[in-house]
Amino acid sequence: MTYYQAYQEGAIHLPKAFLDHFAGLFKNADDFLVWLYFLDNKDIAPSEIAQKINKPLAEVNQSISQLQEIGALKLTFHSNGQDMNFDVSEAFRHLDQLSGQLEGHQQAEEGDNPLSELIQAFEAEMGMITPMQQEEIQALLYEDQYEPETIRLALKEATLNRKTNFNYIKAILKNWRNDGVSASRQELKQEKNAGPEPESADNFFIPLDGPWSH
């Protein structure tokens, strides 16, 4: 799921990527502040924003114009032709392009890179994940430098323990790294644990015609 899709579905929290790509999204902090007010309330009046941030209305209107110019804000009118609606969604689409999420999502559908394959694996176990969760997977892969197969096995371990959350998965990976356990050893362990259970003592058979019967 891309940032834009998450926003459209009402499941967006302002991601860290906004700070990482701030210069590519906004001209200055004042424009970003005005944009945040429209993110919170798309029907808010510019005059109300000016009052809340203690800025002249002319400066707020200038920020609105600049946001429109860079494509971070879209202005539409209601059916009465007077009331305005401010759409901030295009900023999330731009963020997808800057952060590579859009390309990564398209590649995820094709399954042709480690990150996309991991995203598919997590969504198979956890359902649709958010862009912030995608960032966590990306961090495990490229910042913490866990092997894709190790991450996949940690996900499997968490699923077996019915604790499919990122904190638990990260704790598993950290413990494995501290113990110096390889992915191949973990895979063998999981296969062993998933194998047939040994027969219980209740099914142990003692023949009656042995030497102990005399």
Side-chain angles (χ1 to χ4, degrees):
M1 180 186 291
T2 64
Y3 292 117
Y4 178 77
Q5 289 173 326
Y7 172 76
Q8 293 292 84
E9 294 181 12
I12 190 69
H13 298 280
L14 201 62
K16 177 179 175 293
F18 261 103
L19 299 180
D20 295 336
H21 300 283
F22 184 88
L25 290 166
F26 304 98
K27 288 186 175 181
N28 55 57
D30 287 341
D31 290 358
F32 177 57
L33 181 59
V34 171
W35 182 88
L36 283 176
Y37 275 97
F38 289 123
L39 173 67
D40 182 62
N41 179 6
K42 64 183 179 180
D43 295 319
I44 191 171
S47 58
E48 186 177 349
I49 297 176
Q51 183 180 6
K52 288 179 180 295
I53 65 176
N54 195 27
K55 293 276 189 180
L57 178 58
E59 291 187 15
V60 173
N61 286 334
Q62 182 180 2
S63 288
I64 292 173
S65 295
Q66 291 177 166
L67 289 167
Q68 288 179 281
E69 287 175 10
I70 63 176
L73 189 67
K74 183 179 179 181
L75 175 62
T76 58
F77 287 90
H78 288 223
S79 56
N80 59 18
Q82 296 179 349
D83 296 328
M84 294 178 291
N85 175 277
F86 296 89
D87 182 5
V88 300
S89 63
E90 287 305 306
F92 290 100
R93 195 191 298 275
H94 192 191
L95 178 62
D96 287 327
Q97 295 170 341
L98 291 172
S99 64
Q101 288 282 9
L102 186 59
E103 180 182 355
H105 181 74
Q106 291 169 343
Q107 291 174 338
E109 294 177 348
E110 300 170 4
D112 58 358
N113 67 47
L115 177 60
S116 66
E117 291 174 359
L118 282 172
I119 289 173
Q120 287 182 321
F122 273 79
E123 289 187 336
E125 298 295 343
M126 302 172 63
M128 188 69 72
I129 62 176
T130 67
M132 293 183 70
Q133 291 172 324
Q134 288 186 25
E135 286 184 355
E136 291 195 67
I137 299 172
Q138 186 171 341
L140 290 173
L141 187 61
Y142 297 118
E143 294 178 21
D144 299 325
Q145 296 186 336
Y146 289 107
E147 291 294 326
E149 186 59 27
T150 304
I151 298 172
R152 206 176 342 263
L153 289 171
L155 171 63
K156 183 178 180 182
E157 182 83 8
T159 302
L160 290 172
N161 292 325
R162 298 181 180 179
K163 294 181 180 180
T164 48
N165 64 73
F166 278 87
N167 287 336
Y168 189 75
I169 292 167
K170 286 188 282 189
I172 291 173
L173 290 167
K174 185 176 180 180
N175 287 338
W176 287 353
R177 175 167 285 177
N178 290 341
D179 294 341
V181 179
S182 66
S184 58
R185 285 179 58 189
Q186 285 302 327
E187 190 169 17
L188 287 172
K189 179 182 176 183
Q190 289 181 355
E191 289 177 356
K192 181 179 179 181
N193 292 340
E197 296 182 359
E199 294 185 8
S200 66
D202 295 338
N203 296 330
F204 190 74
F205 175 71
I206 303 177
L208 297 178
D209 56 347
W212 46 83
S213 62
H214 300 292

